[in-house]
């Protein structure tokens, strides 16, 4: 039965049915497809080469058309050609100083070898001159003139043959029409055929003959005679699908824009491979048969080694994670080494779990014992507060009560978070203690909408900032105003501003502090300019719990104010809060 076969036999059969037989069939099929593949590669490479040549020629065409456009659509030149020529109107100066130099500069600074730029005018009052301006009467007898004037086309490419020396040149003809729609004449740019079509006539990467056909499919740039003599016979297929095979050549074509000429590359087709392909396929099949038997014996030895390694692993697990002896340096030796590392880690993890469980139980006992001490301190503070109230020292009594509440806020609960209302109430209690020393010199206001007071924030993120304001705010004044603004931004993040009217921070020091908050790279401990531990602690806690995009930020103007900004992400957890802080005044 197949399911009772060994892995070795299954893999061998799979090799025969899924590799050997398909590849044998593929080898026979390759014999019939090899020639088509070679021709396809030739076609693809030839098309790439001919597109590169086409791109180079079309770049030249674009440059020629750009030169013509600069002259044809020049407003001042159109205006000159549209007005009656008169010496009294300084027409000669315009002719000499502007119209003629416009063509001269175009010839001087053009990037290709333009032979001539001519302007044919329909304004008979302007005299011909400067070798560039002519009357339109001189071109009316050209074969292309009547059809071009009757058409709606504004430009035309024409292949011009000089009967004297039988040289070819291309003319780019463009109608000059003013903004008002008035016809002013024509601009003709004359460029040599050899200059324009030079990329097709020079040697190419494929080292194959290339020639150019005009719009009537007549050869205007001659290539190899044996490659061009049969072009007329294959032209229908050649121009319908872009390539054709004829008389041992593969012809590939592409059309140039504007001039509507066709680039043709002729590639000699390689001879048929013949019986060599059959012999290659037979060798291919025999090689796979030999490899099949070699694969079978190697697989047999490999599976035997694998079976021995599995038995050793089972034995190591049963004997209490004892390491396996490493006797080999091949892949099985590496697997044995990694397995031994795994066994060692499991042993350490089991040991660590036992230690942690023991430490956890000890910590629970210590935590139960430590709960007695805070309650003793709370009760003692309550006794002192009541005693002060009986003695008439009400401000000290209130301060003792606030201090007790602050201690409860510090010690009570396991969570690192508290509601914003609790955090603001903690600040109120802290400033009540400060007023014992500063009395009415501190003015404190909180501006917070009630609907966001129930959000949870990290504990103790505001008190060190207020402490910093009190510490540095009285440097050069007798009173200190502290305002806290809480707002919800458009992205639902919470923004807290703590602003005081203290002495402020100089600009260089402010940039240094903000850079420290952004990068978490602080000055060495003991430096006299090192930012307070409290603010650095707040910054690290904000970035730890909310992410690197939420550092602390300071704004300040020296001698005017200091503002600390905390940004918290959109809160996802809320708890109910019965009391709401709206506007707390002190």
């Amino acid at each position: 039965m197949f399911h009772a076969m060994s892995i070795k036999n299954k893999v061998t059969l799979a090799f025969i049915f899924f590799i050997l037989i398909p590849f044998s069939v593929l080898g026979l099929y390759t014999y019939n497809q090899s020639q088509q593949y070679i021709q396809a590669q030739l076609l693809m490479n030839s098309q790439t080469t001919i597109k590169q040549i086409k791109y180079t020629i079309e770049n030249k065409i674009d440059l020629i058309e750009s030169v013509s456009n600069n002259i044809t659509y020049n407003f001042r030149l159109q205006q000159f050609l549209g007005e009656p020529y008169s010496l009294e109107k300084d027409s000669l100066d315009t002719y000499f100083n502007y119209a003629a130099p416009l063509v001269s500069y175009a010839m001087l600074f053009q990037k290709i070898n333009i032979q001539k730029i001519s302007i044919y005018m329909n304004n008979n009052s302007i005299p011909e001159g400067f070798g560039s301006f002519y009357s339109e009467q001189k071109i009316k007898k050209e074969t292309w003139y009547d059809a071009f004037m009757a058409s709606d086309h504004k430009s035309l490419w024409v292949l011009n043959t000089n009967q004297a020396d039988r040289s070819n040149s291309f003319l780019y003809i463009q109608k000059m029409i003013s903004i008002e729609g008035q016809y002013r004449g024509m601009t003709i740019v004359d460029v040599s055929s050899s200059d324009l079509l030079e990329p097709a006539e020079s040697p190419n990467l494929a080292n194959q003959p290339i020639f150019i056909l005009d719009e009537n499919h007549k050869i205007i740039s001659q290539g190899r005679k044996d490659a061009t003599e049969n072009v007329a016979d294959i032209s229908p297929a050649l121009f319908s699908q872009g390539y054709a095979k004829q008389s041992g050549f593969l012809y590939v074509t592409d059309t140039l824009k504007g001039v509507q000429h066709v680039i043709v590359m002729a590639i000699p087709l390689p001879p048929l491979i013949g019986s060599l392909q059959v012999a290659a396929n037979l060798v291919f099949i025999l090689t796979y048969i030999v490899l099949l038997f070699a694969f079978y014996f190697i697989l047999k030895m490999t599976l035997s080694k694998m079976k021995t390694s599995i038995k050793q692993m089972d034995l190591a697990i049963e004997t209490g994670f004892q390491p396996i002896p490493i006797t080999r340096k091949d892949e099985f030796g590496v697997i044995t080494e990694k397995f031994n590392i795994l066994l060692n880690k499991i042993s350490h993890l089991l040991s660590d779990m036992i230690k942690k469980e023991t430490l956890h139980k000890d910590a629970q006992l210590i935590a139960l014992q430590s709960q007695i001490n805070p309650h003793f301190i709370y009760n003692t503070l309550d006794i002192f507060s009541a005693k002060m109230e009986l003695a008439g020292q009400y401000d000290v009594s209130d301060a003792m009560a606030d201090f007790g509440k602050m201690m409860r806020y510090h010690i009570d609960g396991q969570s690192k978070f508290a509601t914003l209302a609790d955090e603001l109430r903690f600040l109120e209690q802290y400033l009540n203690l400060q007023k014992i020393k500063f009395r009415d010199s501190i003015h404190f206001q909180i501006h917070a909408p009630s609907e966001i007071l129930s959000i949870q924030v990290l504990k103790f993120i505001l008190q060190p900032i207020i402490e910093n304001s009190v510490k540095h705010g009285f440097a050069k004044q007798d009173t200190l105003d502290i305002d806290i603004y809480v707002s919800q931004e458009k992205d639902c993040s919470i923004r807290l501003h703590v602003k005081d009217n203290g002495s402020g921070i100089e600009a260089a020091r402010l940039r240094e502090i903000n850079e420290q908050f952004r990068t978490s790279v602080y000055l060495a401990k003991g430096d006299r300019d090192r930012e307070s531990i409290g603010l650095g602690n707040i910054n690290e806690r904000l970035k730890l719990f909310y992410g690197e995009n939420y550092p602390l930020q300071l704004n300040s103007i020296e001698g005017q104010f200091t503002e600390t900004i905390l940004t918290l992400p959109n809160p996802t957890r809320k708890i109910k809060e019965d009391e709401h802080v709206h506007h707390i005044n002190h």
Side-chain angles (χ1 to χ4, degrees):
M1 297 177 62
F2 185 78
H3 67 273
M5 293 175 62
S6 64
I7 296 176
K8 174 178 59 180
N9 294 333
K10 291 179 181 178
V11 173
T12 303
L13 290 176
F15 183 83
I16 294 174
F17 286 105
F18 297 112
I19 298 179
L20 182 62
I21 294 177
F23 270 87
S24 300
V25 175
L26 182 62
L28 297 175
Y29 178 75
T30 303
Y31 174 73
N32 297 320
Q33 297 295 318
S34 57
Q35 193 68 18
Q36 285 81 349
Y37 172 79
I38 294 172
Q39 293 178 8
Q41 290 295 313
L42 285 174
L43 177 62
M44 182 176 64
N45 295 336
S46 302
Q47 287 176 334
T48 301
T49 302
I50 207 167
K51 284 185 181 297
Q52 292 174 345
I53 296 172
K54 172 187 175 181
Y55 176 77
T56 305
I57 296 176
E58 288 183 346
N59 277 344
K60 291 188 175 186
I61 292 174
D62 290 338
L63 288 174
I64 294 170
E65 293 180 354
S66 176
V67 170
S68 177
N69 289 339
N70 291 337
I71 298 174
T72 304
Y73 295 106
N74 187 283
F75 175 75
R76 191 170 176 184
L77 178 62
Q78 291 182 355
Q79 189 178 30
F80 170 72
L81 297 179
E83 295 177 350
Y85 185 85
S86 172
L87 296 177
E88 297 177 357
K89 295 182 179 181
D90 298 327
S91 295
L92 182 61
D93 290 340
T94 303
Y95 205 165
F96 182 79
N97 295 325
Y98 183 79
L102 181 64
V103 179
S104 300
Y105 291 155
M107 288 290 295
L108 183 62
F109 295 106
Q110 45 91 11
K111 297 180 181 179
I112 58 176
N113 296 324
I114 295 176
Q115 291 183 332
K116 188 177 182 181
I117 300 176
S118 305
I119 298 174
Y120 291 89
M121 311 168 292
N122 68 343
N123 187 345
N124 295 324
S125 67
I126 301 176
E128 298 180 332
F130 300 101
S132 300
F133 293 83
Y134 305 95
S135 172
E136 191 177 9
Q137 297 296 328
K138 293 187 176 182
I139 59 173
K140 288 188 175 181
K141 293 183 180 180
E142 296 291 338
T143 56
W144 50 264
Y145 181 83
D146 292 333
F148 180 50
M149 291 298 296
S151 70
D152 294 331
H153 298 296
K154 294 184 179 180
S155 62
L156 176 69
W157 279 94
V158 174
L159 178 64
N160 185 41
T161 301
N162 190 332
Q163 298 298 332
D165 56 5
R166 293 201 172 274
S167 62
N168 293 330
S169 65
F170 284 94
L171 304 179
Y172 180 62
I173 308 163
Q174 198 168 13
K175 296 176 183 177
M176 185 180 294
I177 300 175
S178 67
I179 297 176
E180 297 82 7
Q182 299 296 320
Y183 175 72
R184 304 297 187 200
M186 291 186 186
T187 303
I188 299 180
V189 180
D190 190 339
V191 61
S192 170
S193 172
S194 60
D195 287 331
L196 183 63
L197 303 179
E198 182 271 336
E201 296 176 349
S202 61
N204 55 79
L205 294 177
N207 197 26
Q208 300 297 344
I210 294 178
F211 48 93
I212 307 295
L213 304 180
D214 63 12
E215 60 271 16
N216 297 318
H217 300 165
K218 294 181 179 180
I219 298 175
I220 62 172
S221 177
Q222 186 68 42
R224 280 171 43 180
K225 184 176 181 181
D226 59 341
T228 58
E229 61 185 4
N230 296 312
V231 171
D233 298 333
I234 61 170
S235 57
L238 182 64
F239 300 107
S240 62
Q241 60 186 10
Y243 66 93
K245 289 179 285 186
Q246 179 77 25
S247 302
F249 284 90
L250 173 65
Y251 296 93
V252 182
T253 68
D254 209 333
T255 303
L256 294 171
K257 71 174 185 179
V259 298
Q260 296 302 314
H261 284 35
V262 178
I263 307 175
V264 182
M265 176 182 285
I267 308 98
L269 290 173
L272 293 174
I273 298 177
S275 59
L276 289 177
Q277 185 66 42
V278 177
N281 289 335
L282 292 176
V283 171
F284 180 77
I285 295 172
L286 292 175
T287 301
Y288 264 92
I289 293 175
V290 173
L291 291 176
L292 171 63
F293 288 102
F295 174 78
Y296 175 79
F297 289 109
I298 293 174
L299 180 64
K300 182 179 179 180
M301 290 187 296
T302 303
L303 293 177
S304 299
K305 296 174 184 178
M306 186 183 300
K307 187 175 181 180
T308 302
S309 297
I310 294 173
K311 289 181 179 180
Q312 290 177 336
M313 292 178 184
D314 289 337
L315 182 62
I317 295 172
E318 293 174 358
T319 56
F321 303 109
Q322 294 297 322
I324 303 173
I326 300 176
T327 59
R328 308 178 59 89
K329 295 184 179 180
D330 56 6
E331 288 80 0
F332 288 101
V334 174
I335 293 174
T336 303
E337 180 183 358
K338 300 301 181 183
F339 186 74
N340 286 340
I341 294 174
L342 179 61
L343 293 178
N344 186 44
K345 288 185 177 181
I346 292 174
S347 298
H348 283 299
L349 287 174
L350 289 175
S351 178
D352 289 343
M353 287 178 62
I354 295 172
K355 291 179 181 179
K356 288 180 181 179
E357 186 67 25
T358 303
L359 292 174
H360 179 65
K361 291 185 180 295
D362 292 341
Q364 285 181 328
L365 292 174
I366 295 172
L368 292 173
Q369 293 172 357
S370 65
Q371 290 180 357
I372 301 172
N373 295 329
H375 290 290
F376 172 73
I377 296 174
Y378 304 153
N379 295 334
T380 302
L381 289 174
D382 288 340
I383 293 172
F384 287 160
S385 177
K387 199 70 174 176
M388 293 294 180
E389 188 173 355
L390 291 174
Q393 297 181 359
Y394 299 109
D395 54 346
V396 179
S397 174
D398 291 340
M400 293 291 288
D402 287 334
F403 182 64
K405 294 176 182 177
M406 291 176 65
M407 290 197 64
R408 289 180 184 273
Y409 185 71
H410 268 284
I411 300 174
D412 286 354
Q414 301 294 326
S415 176
K416 299 180 180 67
F417 295 87
T419 63
L420 181 59
D422 286 339
E423 187 71 5
L424 294 175
R425 191 179 300 110
F426 178 72
L427 292 183
E428 179 184 7
Q429 295 161 355
Y430 170 74
L431 285 170
N432 285 340
L433 292 179
Q434 292 291 341
K435 283 190 175 183
I436 295 177
K437 176 180 179 181
F438 296 103
R439 297 189 180 278
D440 294 332
S441 297
I442 297 179
H443 303 134
F444 178 56
Q445 286 189 326
I446 297 177
H447 311 269
S450 59
E451 60 269 15
I452 62 175
L453 292 177
S454 62
I455 67 168
Q456 287 193 332
V457 298
L458 282 173
K459 278 186 176 181
F460 314 122
I461 59 172
L462 295 177
Q463 184 271 335
I465 300 173
I466 300 298
E467 181 180 355
N468 203 55
S469 295
V470 174
K471 179 180 178 181
H472 301 286
F474 285 108
K476 296 181 181 180
Q477 58 190 17
D478 297 329
T479 60
L480 179 65
D481 295 334
I482 301 177
D483 291 276
I484 296 180
Y485 300 90
V486 184
S487 62
Q488 189 164 22
E489 304 302 309
K490 292 182 179 180
D491 60 356
C492 295
S493 63
I494 303 301
R495 190 73 58 85
L496 294 92
H497 299 254
V498 180
K499 186 175 183 180
D500 64 61
N501 63 341
S503 57
I505 307 172
E506 62 179 3
R509 176 60 179 154
L510 181 66
R511 289 192 297 270
E512 180 182 339
I513 293 173
N514 281 324
E515 181 65 14
Q516 292 176 16
F517 289 155
R518 186 184 68 81
T519 61
S520 295
V521 179
Y522 303 97
L523 295 178
K525 187 175 182 181
D527 193 299
R528 62 186 181 88
D529 291 329
R530 183 175 179 265
E531 190 51 44
S532 69
I533 296 175
L535 294 184
N537 179 275
I538 293 172
N539 182 63
E540 294 308 308
R541 292 174 66 211
L542 288 172
K543 294 169 72 173
L544 177 63
F545 283 94
Y546 298 125
E548 292 293 327
N549 295 327
Y550 297 93
L552 205 62
Q553 183 180 354
L554 293 183
N555 288 335
S556 181
I557 297 178
E558 189 174 8
Q560 297 186 24
F561 73 91
T562 300
E563 181 182 32
T564 306
I565 302 174
L566 298 86
T567 303
L568 309 180
N570 181 13
T572 57
R573 295 189 301 166
K574 293 185 179 181
I575 63 173
K576 293 183 179 180
E577 182 67 31
D578 296 327
E579 299 180 7
H580 300 287
V581 179
H582 298 281
H583 218 60
I584 304 172
N585 299 318
H586 299 271

